[in-house]
Amino acid sequence: MNQKLTEEKQRLILETATEEFGEKGLFRSSIRSIAKKSGVSVGVIYKYYADKEALFFACLDHSMESLSEVLSAAADEASSLEDMMRGLIHACIVYAREHEAYFRMYHSITSAESGADAGEIARRIESETAAVYTGVVKKAASKGLVDKNYDPAMIAFFFDNLLMMLHFSLSCDYYKNRMSIYLGDGVDEGLLEKQLLSFIMHGIAKRS
Amino acid sequence: MNQKLTEEKQRLILETATEEFGEKGLFRSSIRSIAKKSGVSVGVIYKYYADKEALFFACLDHSMESLSEVLSAAADEASSLEDMMRGLIHACIVYAREHEAYFRMYHSITSAESGADAGEIARRIESETAAVYTGVVKKAASKGLVDKNYDPAMIAFFFDNLLMMLHFSLSCDYYKNRMSIYLGDGVDEGLLEKQLLSFIMHGIAKRS
Amino acid sequence: MNQKLTEEKQRLILETATEEFGEKGLFRSSIRSIAKKSGVSVGVIYKYYADKEALFFACLDHSMESLSEVLSAAADEASSLEDMMRGLIHACIVYAREHEAYFRMYHSITSAESGADAGEIARRIESETAAVYTGVVKKAASKGLVDKNYDPAMIAFFFDNLLMMLHFSLSCDYYKNRMSIYLGDGVDEGLLEKQLLSFIMHGIAKRS
Amino acid sequence: MNQKLTEEKQRLILETATEEFGEKGLFRSSIRSIAKKSGVSVGVIYKYYADKEALFFACLDHSMESLSEVLSAAADEASSLEDMMRGLIHACIVYAREHEAYFRMYHSITSAESGADAGEIARRIESETAAVYTGVVKKAASKGLVDKNYDPAMIAFFFDNLLMMLHFSLSCDYYKNRMSIYLGDGVDEGLLEKQLLSFIMHGIAKRS
DNA sequence: TATGAATGAGCTTTCATTCAT
DNA sequence: AATGAATGAAAGCTCATTCAT
């Protein structure tokens, strides 16, 4: 029971911190404020996390894990390249409504502010995804669904780039505003989804 | 020691600051350190810039202006949508070699850390580009070069998204590493350029 | 080292700060120095006081409260104008031995250096005293003890002026030295008290 | 001609600085601001005055000299104690209208903010006045005009105290406000003068 | 074990003073 | 001789981290 409370509290801390980090970034966020918002003492945070950065990375891991699950589910269900892409784009749009902060953490870590080893982090976060995407593209290529002039890895890279920008455009203030400049306020997400998928599929497709 | 600050020196401060901001972000950067690296006193920075943030935004403006010129030149020379895109992609690749820091500033401002008004900044930076890209796509669409199911603004948005990711992938540590995961070290930039252009053009093109 | 701050310590901070402010004024005093002299960290001062000025005004309030009590006691015990004046003069002389610093704070606030709203401060500090003194003079006047050509408020004002200068002459370096110039070192305080009272009472008294 | 200009400029610097010091005190005043207001460069101030404090004391000397002249004139013209006092009170009231700043400098130096040797300053400023006042009171005492129970030096001291408070009440913000609390806004200076003189003369006078 | 007050390094910023021009 | 830009020490203040309770 006591243990249970602790686990819940841990999750609460993580969620609160993710929110704050996503909103203000690593430096403008403060441990005190996170503690207060979480209803715990500062000390207890230091019980679980060695320092502010450790908490930041724990939030990142937490976010990425959750994100990964959702994206994996979307990818796993898919029987074709197009299905996978549609699934990922859709999942991204749906997920963004609930968990802006997770996407924001993702953006946060791509910036230099934390001073962490970018290579290490990138490897931890991107390797799996990269392998999956590249694999699926390769498989599709072997079926002749991808123009043979393309390097499958590059196609996977372009696809992931577009997906990444979709993430940011749905969650981070700057990117949200930027999307509005292009598409106006109150973007039609259904249309966005459809046109993005179409753009990608045609970009990839074997030339007739 | 008490030398009057030459124009050279003023530029140096800006470059050094841009470098540091690009590397560490707004908060981990310190005026002291920028002053030391620039070989000037702390005070002189405050002579030219009201505070740390003002210096940050001056660096951003400086970067964006320089970047804008290069991209404008590439866009202006172009006689067709494909030419423009090729020009922009190429300019981006060439420019990244000289001015990583400028692209990094760009990424820096898209993060939440500065606390600045994201809407205001986005408008200042993205509006012009968005209008140009959308305009060119519309023109191409009117010539029947773009599939008529597309919203030209959306196509322009996708294109800019890919370009943005190219910027980051060529300059920011995290994105560099991420690109390596997909494409290996020592990316063949010529190939990247060619395939990216091809991907976009086929993505857009009118369905036969 | 990480001892919780006792009430004792809080008082010590206030006393030390009062001492330093009284000695050096607001600007030459430094939080660092006050912290060191109090044997506390800088941070703890900011825990209790929002900023340097807040500490300054807390010291002022503390001093004025203490001073007020003493003077009120002296005034309350009195059954006549003369008793009150004698009591106040005496209290002032006795109190100055223990609490020079409080009088110095008083003088400090009358100078322009703090930049605070002089009107507001004066009202906070002087209103009550002014009312009491004026009241007592009026009452004495109604008994025919004050020459009827006088405005009671003015008499109260003159009296308070003399009392104020007595405060300063007993506590502030400049005024101490000035008093020595007039009266030599080692002023006979008994005589001073007697002659000041006599001077005032005869100044006020009804002309025969 | 050039010399003349310099003298004028010197006076201008002194006046401007006196104004600023009187208004803000030593520390909140800035050499840069004084230079700008005087229309001279910072360097030229350091040509004439070793440092900020030297300028401050030059202003003080300038003020005190001017004040001294006025008061001496008032005292010299007088043929009796009462005449002298009336003259001094009147001069003070008249002078305050033109030269608030001089009186403010006077108050400024009595505070601890400069860190200068209070004894040295007090001696320089007060000795002469003290001697004159004490002398005049003694002379009056020898004519039997002063009650013989008084120490003439003490009477001179009380008188100077009242005069000093009059200075401050006519020029320094805090004291101005304080006087308003006692006497209301728009003090009748003629009445003030008359009642103060009466208060003093009766305070001193031989008991019948 | 959890607390949160205390710590103090380190930041941004100011401005008296210097000195090359 | 006059200028005013450059200097840099020193201040106020914050907040991640510690640790007595």
Side-chain angles (χ1 to χ4, degrees):
Chain A
M1 181 74 184
N2 198 13
Q3 189 56 27
K4 190 80 189 177
L5 185 73
T6 297
E7 274 197 25
E8 249 172 57
K9 214 138 225 180
Q10 263 184 274
R11 211 185 346 267
L12 180 61
I13 292 172
L14 229 41
E15 288 293 336
T16 311
T18 300
E19 208 70 49
E20 175 133 345
F21 285 136
E23 198 179 317
K24 304 187 188 171
L26 174 56
F27 282 89
R28 290 196 310 134
S29 297
S30 104
I31 291 283
R32 232 206 201 86
S33 149
I34 291 168
K36 184 170 272 179
K37 283 184 199 162
S38 308
V40 300
S41 71
V42 172
V44 92
I45 293 184
Y46 281 90
K47 178 105 185 71
Y48 294 123
Y49 307 101
D51 53 26
K52 197 190 186 183
E53 226 178 300
L55 174 59
F56 180 78
F57 285 115
C59 289
L60 180 67
D61 281 346
H62 179 69
S63 299
M64 296 316 296
E65 213 169 303
S66 164
L67 236 155
S68 230
E69 268 172 44
V70 171
L71 297 184
S72 293
D76 289 353
E77 282 173 10
S79 59
S80 72
L81 180 59
E82 184 165 358
D83 274 0
M84 181 189 80
M85 287 179 173
R86 182 185 296 113
L88 287 168
I89 292 168
H90 189 75
C92 170
I93 289 173
V94 170
Y95 200 64
R97 278 189 210 114
E98 286 275 299
H99 293 291
E100 275 199 356
Y102 291 6
F103 285 132
R104 284 180 173 186
M105 281 303 302
Y106 185 22
H107 184 264
S108 189
I109 196 52
T110 68
S111 82
E113 63 165 336
S114 79
D117 178 353
E120 160 63 17
I121 312 263
R123 235 164 290 127
R124 228 165 65 205
I125 294 179
E126 307 280 348
S127 292
E128 205 183 339
T129 321
V132 170
Y133 294 173
T134 305
V136 176
V137 175
K138 260 187 188 148
K139 203 169 129 191
S142 73
K143 288 184 193 161
L145 298 169
V146 175
D147 194 277
K148 60 180 182 294
N149 290 314
Y150 286 131
D151 171 358
M154 222 170 252
I155 291 300
F157 179 55
F158 297 156
F159 168 67
D160 197 20
N161 284 353
L162 285 164
L163 207 58
M164 209 158 170
M165 288 299 294
L166 186 60
H167 294 169
F168 299 157
S169 301
L170 293 168
S171 58
C172 305
D173 283 346
Y174 184 91
Y175 292 92
K176 277 183 183 174
N177 278 286
R178 176 175 167 276
M179 183 162 69
S180 286
I181 290 169
Y182 272 100
L183 308 180
D185 288 333
V187 174
D188 177 344
E189 289 172 352
L191 186 65
L192 175 63
E193 190 179 325
K194 236 179 60 185
Q195 300 217 340
L196 180 55
L197 184 63
S198 171
F199 175 70
I200 295 167
M201 291 312 296
H202 283 94
I204 293 172
K206 193 182 165 186
R207 313 291 177 254
S208 53
Chain B
M1 219 196 273
N2 224 353
Q3 239 60 228
K4 193 172 281 188
L5 223 62
T6 54
E7 293 241 336
E8 192 78 16
K9 208 115 209 181
Q10 290 194 43
R11 212 183 351 265
L12 180 61
I13 292 174
L14 220 48
E15 290 292 338
T16 310
T18 301
E19 207 70 49
E20 175 132 346
F21 284 136
E23 200 178 315
K24 304 189 189 174
L26 174 56
F27 286 93
R28 286 198 312 132
S29 297
S30 105
I31 292 283
R32 251 192 183 87
S33 147
I34 292 169
K36 184 168 272 180
K37 281 185 198 161
S38 308
V40 300
S41 69
V42 171
V44 87
I45 292 183
Y46 284 90
K47 179 118 189 82
Y48 293 108
Y49 307 100
D51 53 24
K52 196 190 187 183
E53 225 184 327
L55 175 59
F56 179 79
F57 283 113
C59 290
L60 181 67
D61 281 345
H62 180 69
S63 298
M64 296 316 297
E65 212 171 303
S66 165
L67 234 154
S68 227
E69 269 173 44
V70 170
L71 297 184
S72 292
D76 289 352
E77 281 172 10
S79 59
S80 71
L81 179 61
E82 182 165 3
D83 272 1
M84 184 189 80
M85 288 180 172
R86 183 186 295 111
L88 287 168
I89 293 167
H90 189 74
C92 170
I93 289 172
V94 170
Y95 198 66
R97 277 188 211 115
E98 285 275 298
H99 291 291
E100 275 198 357
Y102 291 7
F103 285 129
R104 285 180 173 184
M105 280 302 303
Y106 184 23
H107 185 264
S108 186
I109 197 54
T110 69
S111 84
E113 65 161 342
S114 81
D117 179 353
E120 159 65 17
I121 312 260
R123 235 164 290 127
R124 229 166 65 204
I125 293 180
E126 307 281 347
S127 291
E128 207 183 338
T129 322
V132 170
Y133 294 174
T134 305
V136 176
V137 174
K138 259 186 189 149
K139 205 169 126 191
S142 73
K143 287 185 193 159
L145 298 169
V146 175
D147 194 276
K148 61 180 182 294
N149 290 312
Y150 285 130
D151 171 0
M154 222 170 251
I155 291 300
F157 179 55
F158 297 156
F159 168 65
D160 197 19
N161 284 353
L162 286 164
L163 206 59
M164 209 157 168
M165 288 300 294
L166 185 61
H167 293 170
F168 299 157
S169 301
L170 293 168
S171 57
C172 305
D173 283 347
Y174 183 90
Y175 292 92
K176 278 182 180 175
N177 279 286
R178 177 175 166 277
M179 184 163 68
S180 288
I181 290 169
Y182 273 99
L183 308 181
D185 289 331
V187 173
D188 178 343
E189 291 172 349
L191 186 65
L192 174 63
E193 189 178 327
K194 236 178 61 184
Q195 301 218 340
L196 180 55
L197 184 64
S198 171
F199 175 71
I200 295 166
M201 290 311 295
H202 283 94
I204 293 171
K206 195 182 162 182
R207 313 292 177 251
S208 52
Chain C
M1 220 195 275
N2 225 355
Q3 239 60 230
K4 192 172 282 188
L5 222 62
T6 54
E7 294 241 334
E8 192 80 13
K9 208 117 208 180
Q10 291 194 42
R11 214 184 346 267
L12 181 61
I13 293 174
L14 220 47
E15 290 291 336
T16 310
T18 301
E19 207 71 49
E20 175 132 345
F21 285 136
E23 200 178 317
K24 303 189 188 172
L26 174 55
F27 286 93
R28 287 198 310 132
S29 297
S30 106
I31 292 284
R32 254 190 182 83
S33 147
I34 292 168
K36 184 169 274 181
K37 282 185 199 162
S38 308
V40 300
S41 69
V42 171
V44 88
I45 292 184
Y46 284 92
K47 180 118 187 79
Y48 293 108
Y49 306 100
D51 53 25
K52 196 192 188 184
E53 226 184 326
L55 174 59
F56 180 78
F57 284 114
C59 290
L60 181 67
D61 281 346
H62 179 68
S63 298
M64 297 314 298
E65 211 169 305
S66 164
L67 235 154
S68 229
E69 269 172 44
V70 171
L71 297 184
S72 293
D76 289 353
E77 283 172 10
S79 58
S80 71
L81 180 61
E82 182 165 2
D83 273 1
M84 183 189 80
M85 287 177 173
R86 181 185 298 111
L88 288 167
I89 292 168
H90 188 75
C92 169
I93 289 173
V94 170
Y95 199 64
R97 278 189 211 114
E98 285 276 299
H99 292 291
E100 275 198 357
Y102 292 7
F103 285 129
R104 284 180 172 183
M105 280 302 302
Y106 185 23
H107 185 263
S108 186
I109 197 55
T110 67
S111 84
E113 66 161 339
S114 81
D117 179 352
E120 160 63 17
I121 312 260
R123 235 164 291 128
R124 229 167 63 203
I125 294 180
E126 307 281 347
S127 292
E128 207 184 340
T129 322
V132 171
Y133 294 174
T134 305
V136 176
V137 175
K138 260 187 190 149
K139 202 169 129 192
S142 73
K143 288 184 193 162
L145 298 169
V146 176
D147 193 275
K148 61 178 182 294
N149 290 311
Y150 285 130
D151 172 359
M154 222 169 250
I155 291 301
F157 180 54
F158 298 156
F159 168 67
D160 197 20
N161 284 353
L162 285 165
L163 206 59
M164 210 160 168
M165 288 299 295
L166 184 62
H167 294 170
F168 299 157
S169 300
L170 292 168
S171 56
C172 305
D173 283 347
Y174 183 90
Y175 292 90
K176 277 183 182 173
N177 279 285
R178 177 175 165 275
M179 184 162 68
S180 287
I181 291 168
Y182 273 100
L183 308 180
D185 290 333
V187 175
D188 177 343
E189 289 171 351
L191 187 64
L192 174 63
E193 189 179 328
K194 235 177 62 184
Q195 300 219 338
L196 179 55
L197 183 64
S198 170
F199 174 71
I200 295 167
M201 290 311 297
H202 283 93
I204 293 172
K206 192 183 167 186
R207 312 293 178 251
S208 53
Chain D
M1 182 71 184
N2 198 14
Q3 189 58 28
K4 189 82 190 176
L5 184 74
T6 296
E7 275 196 24
E8 250 172 57
K9 213 138 225 181
Q10 264 186 271
R11 209 182 352 265
L12 179 61
I13 293 171
L14 228 40
E15 289 292 337
T16 311
T18 300
E19 207 70 49
E20 176 133 345
F21 284 136
E23 200 178 317
K24 304 188 190 172
L26 173 56
F27 280 89
R28 288 196 309 135
S29 297
S30 105
I31 290 282
R32 231 204 200 89
S33 149
I34 291 168
K36 184 169 270 179
K37 284 185 199 161
S38 308
V40 301
S41 70
V42 171
V44 90
I45 292 184
Y46 280 90
K47 179 108 185 66
Y48 295 122
Y49 307 101
D51 54 24
K52 196 191 188 184
E53 225 179 301
L55 174 59
F56 180 78
F57 285 115
C59 290
L60 180 67
D61 280 346
H62 179 68
S63 298
M64 296 316 296
E65 214 170 301
S66 165
L67 234 156
S68 230
E69 268 173 43
V70 171
L71 297 185
S72 292
D76 289 353
E77 281 173 11
S79 59
S80 70
L81 178 62
E82 183 166 0
D83 274 0
M84 183 189 80
M85 287 178 173
R86 181 186 296 110
L88 286 168
I89 292 168
H90 188 73
C92 170
I93 288 174
V94 171
Y95 199 66
R97 278 190 210 112
E98 285 276 298
H99 291 290
E100 274 199 357
Y102 291 6
F103 285 131
R104 283 179 173 186
M105 281 303 302
Y106 185 22
H107 184 264
S108 188
I109 196 52
T110 68
S111 82
E113 63 165 337
S114 79
D117 178 354
E120 159 64 16
I121 312 261
R123 236 164 288 128
R124 228 165 66 206
I125 293 179
E126 307 281 347
S127 291
E128 208 184 338
T129 320
V132 171
Y133 294 173
T134 305
V136 177
V137 174
K138 260 187 189 150
K139 206 168 125 192
S142 73
K143 287 185 193 162
L145 299 169
V146 175
D147 194 275
K148 62 180 183 294
N149 290 312
Y150 285 131
D151 171 359
M154 221 169 251
I155 291 301
F157 179 56
F158 297 157
F159 168 67
D160 198 19
N161 284 353
L162 285 165
L163 206 59
M164 209 157 169
M165 289 299 295
L166 185 62
H167 294 170
F168 299 158
S169 300
L170 292 168
S171 56
C172 304
D173 282 347
Y174 183 90
Y175 292 92
K176 278 183 181 174
N177 279 287
R178 178 176 166 276
M179 183 162 68
S180 287
I181 290 168
Y182 273 101
L183 307 181
D185 288 333
V187 173
D188 178 344
E189 289 172 351
L191 186 65
L192 175 63
E193 190 179 328
K194 236 179 59 186
Q195 300 218 340
L196 180 54
L197 184 64
S198 171
F199 175 70
I200 295 167
M201 291 311 296
H202 283 94
I204 293 172
K206 194 183 165 186
R207 313 294 178 251
S208 52

